[in-house]
Amino acid sequence: MNIVPTIGMETHVELKTNSKMFCRCNVAETEKPNENLCPTCIGLPGSLPVPNKKAIEYITLLALSTNCAITNDGMFHRKNYFYPDLPKNYQISQFDLPVGTDGSLEIVVDGEFGTVEIERVHMEEDTGKSTHIGSGRIDSATSTHLDFNRAGIPLVEVVTKPLIKSSKEAVAYIEELRQLVIDLNISEGKLEKGNLRFDANISVAYENADELGTKVEIKNMNSLKSLEKAIEYEISRQTKMLKNEEIIIQETRHWDEKKEVTSSMRSKEGSADYRYFSDPDIPNMILDEDFVADIKKDMPLLPSDKRNTFIESGLSIEDANSLGKSATWIGELYNSVSNITKDSKVSFNWITGELQGQLRKLEKATPPNWLNPENLSEIISLVKSDKISFTSGKEILSKLIDEKINPEEYAVANKLIQENDTEEISKMVKEVLDENEEVIERISNGEQKLIGFLVGQVIKLSNGKVNPSVAKELLLKEIEQ
Amino acid sequence: MDHYKLPISDINKLFKDKKLKPSELYTEVFERTASTESIIHGHLSLFQEENIKKATDADERFLKGDELGVLDGIPVAIKDNINITGYATTCSSQMLSNYISPYDATVISKLKEEGVIFTGKTNLDEFAMGSSTENSAFGPTKNPWDPSRVPGGSSGGSAAVVSAGSAIASLGSDTGGSIRQPASFCGVVGFKPTYGTVSRYGLVAFASSLDQIGPITNNVSDAKILYNSIRGHDRFDATSLKDVNVKQPKLEKAKIGIIKELMEDGISEDAKSEVHKVSKLLESQGHEIIEVSLPLTKMSISIYYLIAPAECSANLSRFDGVRYGNRVNGNTSYEMMEATRAEGFGPEVKKRILLGTYALSAGYYDAFYGQALKARSMMKKEFTETFEQVDYLISPTTPSDPFKFGEKSDNQLEMYMSDLCTIPANLVGMPAISIPTGLSSSGLPLSVQIMSPSNTDNTLLDFAQNLESEVSFDALPQIQGDGE
Amino acid sequence: MTEKINIKNVAKLAALKLTSEEEQKLEKDLSMIIDHFAALSEMELPDEKITIHPLGMSLNLAEDEAFKFFTHDEALSNAPEAIDGQFVVPPALD
């Protein structure tokens, strides 16, 4: 009997507004701790929260782009618990009336389309940052230091339904969500900066079971790689336990990056009682039809829109997906170049393979501004039409990155134009064969690799101009005779 | 002549006519403070030093004809749960005994612009929880009419200092009656505005959907002046109203409803007869008196004592010794928070926090807090429907005249019942004013309360002012040691 | 009507350390108050939409403009303990 995993993802997206969610303190990163504070974000007596309009526009945009139903008459709730990085010892969040519900996100896994169902999208505020001083481990710290610069930054929490079936799917989902928030221009989406933080809820059960297994929450995965590894590890841990009929405890586990295992965190007695109640400092959040229509009107192109356009241009789902997740300039360049060359696959390969590869070696993030769709297409066409070899094409590209040149002129000037004329090449082939009778003997006796030598001789004779595949073809023809 | 019981507009005229200087008035008021504070203990802190300069600055302005407005140079006391930059805001709690506020409440910014001179901060029941000021961590305030009796609460200090003449007016806060009840006990005027018309930014929150800042004054015209200078939309308060236009009640030939349920058991005969006396006066003024029934008012105490503690249990969570407050150390931060709160909070505050936490906890929400919210909505409906038949509502402000210290401290429910008449206005959000109308058989002040629909505050104040002139209450407390 | 209030649990949720005398007194006091609520709990009330605010007010949202409120020193002015510009507390366990 098969044991199947079930995964649900909870992701926090940091919105890139100018000010915090409930006060007008700056959200920009600073070197100094506790630099951007006011009575509200450090919970001084008498302070009050006033919600950020832009943040609400951004979350509505996210909810709409994931096909969620929008809650027209929602509210903020207080989530009550005590922790020193939480200035009021309650977090203003949303409980049963979140901004968006029942949405979905199209993803690509292994070159195929898939869908992740989204349970809810809600608004909340971030906490401050705590640093444990001491040996570095929480349980042997001697004190905790607190910086509240981050306290109050707007966060959107996106929760999927527990319907994800594999670590690959989970990773593809996070990649898609990240691209979405970047394309919507509501978040920087940088994992390493904590713009996107995620926890995974994992359970396993026998294939025919009526219910899902006990779910375990995994925290502290800081990259897509660790997400994948952590899910795999946890699935395997739970599967083993299920097979041995051991009881899986509902708990929160911590992913240990070094040891590559999940481990139990200090267990709390029972589940937390957050005593949610609607925040009396904030009246109902009415998002009426006009407001929602305005947001919809200004919706930018989504990753799925771009992906579909790329697919329609001739790319595979896999290629279209990875193109959509590259930097914007790459997709834009592809669009223009493939329009000119009329060959999507070749354009894709040249841009994502050769161009990006060369830029990476030079540690450049973007090509120079004189490199445009026209001159790049020129190089591609020269190679495609066999006027120059692929190697020559790479050389011209390298030059173009370095300085402003005209590819065709450069090819001519540097004698890179290939000889393709069959008659001309035949003459040279005959000449080479005449001078290499012993080699012909040896080839006839089975030393096939000496063909390469002969091709080389033809190339030499032509001063590198001959099209090697044509030469080879003609040589073989002649030899057979 | 004594000026400290004159209406603000009269004082302002004397300033403008150069018959009195702000510094002279301030000296008078400060001398009242000096002679009565040891008995009354209304102020927790006095801003004497800087006020001398503030008063002479006001002198200059009036001399040059540059005065700021009618409140320029007027000494006003501020309840110690309202933040003023650079001064302590203790909320009468050990938790905040060392807390110096780094920002101004919006109402304070507004009054600063008017040239108001803050006498100092006044005593209250700890974190505004109480009806007698006996719950202050720094000792109770005494009623100027009889120091063996409570001044009421939670704004006991604010009411007492106005009554004693240690301030021309004061600001208090009202969550379940905390402006009106002490005003009644001290024989002065107390006004709770429509919820949302005065910003709560800078008022230490007790129950967010019920709290309002309001004036305590010697007469209604002063209350009107002070209210209009502190009200207005505030971008720092999401519950702050923008100006709303509603139908105003009539000032002449008005229909006034006596609330039946607030004239029954639990209300003293003295209090009832005040209402009857006032009703007759109103009739003589050409108004019509009818009896109205608002059955849900009988549930007021239950509804209030579920909603207020629930909200306050979360509002007071921030007091944990992490970022401010009197920290008591512990091995872990949780232990530190637990110990800090154990030592910093008094018993009434702890009780309400626990009551609120319980009401909100898993399994109890629906039966308690959820139910209270529903009842509140229904109560609001009842009042809205009633206001379709009457312009104003009248009731006693308090069930009785001021009680003695210790009389109710052992009986929590009886203490909570002090708020019976005042709570409905907070639950419904409507404005309510208490004006002194007579003396009880013990010679202590009695008041009546008048309420009107939400957003009719200035009309209510005008109506109350008309009544006040008809009532002509001019008794003053005789404070022990008073030179008179 | 009331089941016994688990005062220890409630105190834990509220981060309040109580002495055993306080526990006893509070349990008694709170039970009395909660019994008083019985009449309200048993009322049949329609399940209509609840307004939290007495006036059912509409939401004021703020424009997303940042401005500086406190200086670093003002923000820390009441800190019981601070090192290198950070608030310091005893170790916070998860």
Side-chain angles (χ1 to χ4, degrees):
Chain A
M1 183 69 60
N2 262 348
I3 293 179
V4 292
T6 299
I7 302 160
M9 295 295 300
E10 275 170 30
T11 311
H12 286 97
V13 180
E14 212 173 79
L15 297 181
K16 61 173 194 182
T17 51
N18 296 320
S19 62
K20 293 184 176 181
M21 185 63 217
F22 295 110
C23 66
R24 309 286 72 79
C25 287
N26 203 315
V27 301
E29 265 187 80
T30 66
E31 274 178 31
K32 249 184 139 183
N34 294 306
E35 197 54 31
N36 295 324
L37 302 177
C38 76
T40 298
C41 56
I42 43 170
L44 291 190
S47 61
L48 291 174
V50 183
N52 183 326
K53 187 164 171 208
K54 190 121 239 129
I56 293 183
E57 288 171 0
Y58 282 176
I59 186 179
T60 307
L61 197 57
L62 181 55
L64 285 170
S65 69
T66 50
N67 306 307
C68 288
I70 302 291
T71 305
N72 297 111
D73 192 352
M75 51 176 73
F76 284 102
H77 287 88
R78 293 188 183 175
K79 179 181 182 183
N80 298 282
Y81 65 96
F82 282 83
Y83 198 75
D85 70 6
L86 194 58
K88 304 180 290 298
N89 286 312
Y90 63 83
Q91 180 196 37
I92 301 179
S93 175
Q94 292 192 286
F95 182 50
D96 58 352
L97 290 170
V99 171
T101 55
D102 295 313
S104 64
L105 193 59
E106 179 187 86
I107 62 172
V108 171
V109 189
D110 286 340
E112 306 250 323
F113 283 121
T115 310
V116 170
E117 289 187 44
I118 292 178
E119 175 127 355
R120 53 185 281 144
V121 171
H122 79 246
M123 194 81 245
E124 60 182 43
E125 52 174 350
D126 207 347
T127 63
K129 262 209 192 108
S130 41
T131 313
H132 305 294
I133 307 296
S135 72
R137 282 179 50 91
I138 288 176
D139 36 7
S140 54
T142 52
S143 67
T144 298
H145 289 197
L146 300 160
D147 173 13
F148 291 100
N149 281 337
R150 199 183 70 179
I153 286 187
L155 291 181
V156 172
E157 184 172 334
V158 183
V159 181
T160 71
K161 294 197 180 163
L163 295 168
I164 295 175
K165 291 292 166 205
S166 69
S167 60
K168 267 204 195 136
E169 217 182 302
V171 169
Y173 163 71
I174 296 295
E175 285 180 326
E176 190 72 22
L177 184 61
R178 174 175 65 179
Q179 194 60 45
L180 179 60
V181 300
I182 291 172
D183 287 353
L184 288 175
N185 204 23
I186 64 177
S187 173
E188 299 291 349
K190 295 202 168 91
L191 261 63
E192 64 277 16
K193 289 213 153 146
N195 298 143
L196 218 73
R197 296 170 235 157
F198 39 81
D199 302 324
N201 287 308
I202 302 167
S203 68
V204 298
Y206 285 105
E207 205 156 18
N208 64 347
D210 296 322
E211 291 175 354
L212 294 176
T214 307
K215 80 168 181 209
V216 173
E217 186 185 28
I218 311 293
K219 283 183 171 304
N220 199 47
M221 299 159 295
N222 299 324
S223 67
L224 293 174
K225 244 264 99 38
S226 40
L227 174 62
E228 193 173 357
K229 284 194 197 162
I231 293 179
E232 287 300 319
Y233 176 85
E234 184 60 20
I235 290 174
S236 137
R237 182 189 81 91
Q238 289 189 24
T239 303
K240 250 184 242 150
M241 289 178 78
L242 188 61
K243 281 198 183 134
N244 292 337
E245 289 174 23
E246 287 170 52
I247 299 180
I248 297 166
I249 315 169
Q250 179 170 343
E251 58 170 342
T252 301
R253 295 172 74 85
H254 173 100
W255 169 249
D256 189 324
E257 193 64 51
K258 282 215 192 92
K259 294 188 188 153
E260 296 199 344
V261 297
T262 63
S263 54
S264 253
M265 290 171 73
R266 196 169 307 269
S267 63
K268 292 169 204 162
E269 297 133 40
S271 50
D273 180 359
Y274 293 118
R275 308 182 299 290
Y276 286 99
F277 72 104
S278 27
D279 195 327
D281 285 329
I282 310 175
N284 284 25
M285 183 162 50
I286 312 283
L287 303 177
D288 61 27
E289 297 299 336
D290 288 336
F291 173 86
V292 176
D294 266 342
I295 304 287
K296 232 189 194 146
K297 194 168 48 103
D298 294 327
M299 179 93 65
L301 283 177
L302 306 179
S304 51
D305 295 328
K306 292 191 301 188
R307 187 166 45 224
N308 286 336
T309 314
F310 292 145
I311 291 171
E312 275 159 32
S313 78
L315 291 184
S316 68
I317 297 176
E318 189 66 47
D319 286 347
N321 190 42
S322 84
L323 191 57
K325 292 182 169 52
S326 314
T328 319
W329 69 264
I330 299 176
E332 283 170 357
L333 185 60
Y334 163 82
N335 279 333
S336 309
V337 167
S338 59
N339 244 348
I340 301 174
T341 63
K342 303 281 183 261
D343 190 330
S344 54
K345 188 69 193 172
V346 164
S347 306
F348 177 82
N349 288 342
W350 268 96
I351 294 170
T352 63
E354 240 353 271
L355 176 57
Q356 278 200 271
Q358 290 199 22
L359 289 174
R360 227 173 275 132
K361 278 209 190 90
L362 297 167
E363 290 181 356
K364 284 189 161 127
T366 52
N369 58 10
W370 60 79
L371 193 154
N372 55 41
E374 287 71 35
N375 48 33
L376 181 57
S377 300
E378 207 175 297
I379 299 177
I380 294 173
S381 299
L382 286 170
V383 173
K384 236 189 107 155
S385 61
D386 270 337
K387 273 205 179 145
I388 60 174
S389 68
F390 183 69
T391 314
S392 300
K394 290 202 286 188
E395 183 190 317
I396 301 177
L397 178 60
S398 166
K399 198 74 195 166
L400 180 60
I401 291 173
D402 201 32
E403 60 178 88
K404 190 172 180 174
I405 54 159
N406 180 307
E408 182 138 19
E409 284 170 18
Y410 179 89
V412 170
N414 290 276
K415 303 197 190 333
L416 298 176
I417 304 289
Q418 286 185 143
E419 182 58 76
N420 286 320
D421 190 308
T422 323
E423 249 187 73
E424 281 298 315
I425 300 179
S426 290
K427 287 192 199 145
M428 287 185 254
V429 162
K430 284 210 173 70
E431 204 178 312
V432 163
L433 286 174
D434 285 341
E435 288 173 11
N436 288 281
E437 283 192 22
E438 336 78 69
V439 179
I440 301 172
E441 270 302 313
R442 288 165 70 186
I443 289 170
S444 310
N445 287 338
E447 291 186 54
Q448 292 295 313
K449 51 184 210 272
L450 287 174
I451 294 171
F453 167 75
L454 290 178
V455 172
Q457 293 296 97
V458 176
I459 291 175
K460 206 160 134 196
L461 191 58
S462 70
N463 285 323
K465 284 211 199 133
V466 82
N467 185 330
S469 26
V470 176
K472 185 171 174 186
E473 214 183 296
L474 292 173
L475 272 168
L476 287 171
K477 229 158 121 192
E478 282 295 322
I479 290 172
E480 267 160 38
Q481 287 175 1
Chain B
M1 127 165 233
D2 286 330
H3 302 96
Y4 57 84
K5 282 290 173 184
L6 289 176
I8 290 172
S9 49
D10 287 4
I11 294 175
N12 179 255
K13 187 160 190 309
L14 289 173
F15 285 166
K16 292 222 289 251
D17 292 345
K18 304 194 177 18
K19 296 197 178 135
L20 180 67
K21 288 200 280 193
S23 56
E24 288 167 345
L25 176 68
Y26 181 74
T27 305
E28 238 187 84
V29 165
F30 187 72
E31 274 167 12
R32 282 300 297 169
T33 310
S35 66
T36 59
E37 262 307 300
S38 53
I39 301 165
I40 309 297
H41 186 232
H43 279 98
L44 289 176
S45 59
L46 286 164
F47 301 164
Q48 172 63 349
E49 270 176 55
E50 51 271 51
N51 282 348
I52 298 176
K53 174 155 201 312
K54 290 222 170 93
T56 50
D57 284 347
D59 288 352
E60 276 294 307
R61 290 194 291 271
F62 277 99
L63 200 59
K64 290 197 194 136
D66 267 347
E67 63 270 11
L68 293 166
V70 71
L71 281 169
D72 199 347
I74 302 292
V76 176
I78 304 292
K79 186 174 181 181
D80 202 16
N81 61 355
I82 297 172
N83 281 276
I84 304 182
T85 309
Y87 295 102
T89 300
T90 69
C91 301
S92 290
S93 178
Q94 288 296 354
M95 177 67 81
L96 294 177
S97 64
N98 64 353
Y99 177 78
I100 307 290
S101 180
Y103 78 108
D104 279 336
T106 298
V107 298
I108 296 299
S109 309
K110 285 177 183 261
L111 291 181
K112 277 184 178 176
E113 279 172 30
E114 300 281 333
V116 160
I117 298 174
F118 303 120
T119 59
K121 308 300 273 311
T122 59
N123 201 12
L124 58 149
D125 281 297
E126 190 183 356
F127 283 110
M129 300 182 201
S131 311
S132 63
T133 314
E134 286 170 299
N135 294 330
S136 166
F138 306 125
T141 295
K142 315 279 177 65
N143 192 319
W145 292 76
D146 176 353
S148 71
R149 294 177 188 267
V150 304
S154 59
S155 312
S158 285
V161 302
V162 172
S163 171
S166 308
I168 301 299
S170 68
L171 286 187
S173 70
D174 191 312
T175 305
S178 292
I179 283 175
R180 294 159 284 154
Q181 186 251 31
S184 172
F185 277 13
C186 293
V188 289
V189 171
F191 174 57
K192 181 204 84 73
T194 298
Y195 180 87
T197 58
V198 177
S199 169
R200 290 184 300 116
Y201 185 71
L203 167 68
V204 182
F206 161 13
S208 318
S209 74
L210 301 166
D211 295 341
Q212 271 295 273
I213 295 175
I216 298 176
T217 54
N218 288 306
N219 54 70
V220 178
S221 117
D222 287 0
K224 188 168 181 193
I225 290 171
L226 209 42
Y227 166 65
N228 284 295
S229 68
I230 58 173
R231 73 176 180 88
H233 173 69
D234 181 16
R235 68 188 182 114
F236 288 102
D237 178 351
T239 59
S240 165
L241 285 174
K242 299 203 164 131
D243 273 324
V244 184
N245 264 332
V246 304
K247 181 166 151 266
Q248 300 294 312
K250 295 201 283 224
L251 280 172
E252 317 225 322
K253 294 198 179 19
K255 266 217 181 95
I256 297 154
I258 299 182
I259 303 176
K260 173 168 163 286
E261 287 79 6
L262 298 182
M263 295 287 277
E264 292 174 338
D265 321 317
I267 309 292
S268 72
E269 289 311 312
D270 278 344
K272 285 182 202 167
S273 57
E274 272 318 290
V275 173
H276 289 310
K277 174 181 101 186
V278 166
S279 303
K280 290 217 174 63
L281 283 172
L282 288 166
E283 276 173 327
S284 75
Q285 283 186 316
H287 306 294
E288 188 189 333
I289 307 288
I290 64 176
E291 195 192 53
V292 296
S293 172
L294 288 152
L296 274 173
T297 42
K298 291 217 277 259
M299 289 283 141
S300 298
I301 305 283
S302 294
I303 300 170
Y304 175 81
Y305 277 98
L306 275 169
I307 293 179
E311 291 183 5
C312 94
S313 69
N315 284 331
L316 267 67
S317 292
R318 65 191 64 196
F319 300 108
D320 58 6
V322 171
R323 293 142 286 119
Y324 52 85
N326 272 315
R327 181 188 290 189
V328 174
N329 261 308
N331 291 324
T332 66
S333 60
Y334 183 79
E335 280 175 27
M336 181 272 285
M337 292 191 214
E338 259 191 330
T340 297
R341 291 160 66 77
E343 197 155 305
F345 290 142
E348 185 63 30
V349 170
K350 283 182 189 169
K351 188 198 297 186
R352 298 202 194 190
I353 289 175
L354 290 169
L355 179 57
T357 305
Y358 178 73
L360 290 173
S361 58
Y364 300 109
Y365 179 98
D366 286 328
F368 294 136
Y369 183 69
Q371 190 76 340
L373 289 181
K374 281 188 198 167
R376 182 182 189 176
S377 291
M378 296 220 60
M379 189 182 243
K380 184 165 173 239
K381 260 202 188 139
E382 243 179 34
F383 274 88
T384 307
E385 278 160 12
T386 305
F387 276 125
E388 278 161 23
Q389 296 161 41
V390 299
D391 295 283
Y392 306 96
L393 290 168
I394 191 170
S395 79
T397 304
T398 56
S400 68
D401 63 2
F403 47 87
K404 285 195 180 281
F405 279 105
E407 192 180 311
K408 303 207 186 206
S409 25
D410 279 334
N411 190 332
Q412 56 181 5
L413 286 174
E414 228 190 274
M415 181 69 89
Y416 294 163
M417 289 305 265
S418 322
D419 298 330
L420 179 64
C421 304
T422 48
I423 280 175
N426 301 85
L427 288 175
V428 168
M430 63 191 167
I433 188 166
S434 171
I435 62 171
T437 53
L439 297 177
S440 69
S441 35
S442 319
L444 298 162
L446 288 166
S447 299
V448 298
Q449 174 182 236
I450 307 171
M451 297 171 269
S452 65
S454 300
N455 292 299
T456 62
D457 300 62
N458 275 310
T459 310
L460 175 62
L461 285 160
D462 288 339
F463 181 83
Q465 198 168 350
N466 291 341
L467 174 59
E468 179 191 49
S469 56
E470 195 67 35
V471 163
S472 254
F473 175 84
D474 53 13
L476 286 174
Q478 293 302 314
I479 303 170
Q480 241 181 317
D482 245 355
E484 290 160 23
Chain C
M1 169 229 147
T2 358
E3 26 175 292
K4 206 157 179 274
I5 299 170
N6 190 332
I7 200 79
K8 276 194 162 72
N9 269 1
V10 182
K12 198 108 204 117
L13 286 175
L16 271 176
K17 194 159 121 182
L18 300 174
T19 62
S20 45
E21 295 90 60
E22 281 177 317
E23 278 177 8
Q24 272 176 41
K25 182 167 200 301
L26 282 162
E27 201 174 79
K28 211 175 97 222
D29 284 348
L30 290 182
S31 301
M32 202 193 302
I33 298 175
I34 289 168
D35 279 340
H36 189 83
F37 295 152
L40 176 62
S41 302
E42 279 147 28
M43 272 180 90
E44 282 282 329
L45 293 173
D47 215 10
E48 54 177 81
K49 198 171 92 72
I50 296 166
T51 38
I52 306 311
H53 291 91
L55 300 175
M57 50 221 327
S58 58
L59 182 51
N60 295 318
L61 296 172
E63 292 299 325
D64 183 32
E65 281 158 15
F67 64 85
K68 192 149 176 74
F69 200 111
F70 282 145
T71 62
H72 174 84
D73 289 339
E74 280 167 344
L76 278 119
S77 58
N78 285 289
E81 200 186 329
I83 295 175
D84 290 334
Q86 304 216 42
F87 293 87
V88 178
V89 293
L93 307 176
D94 277 319

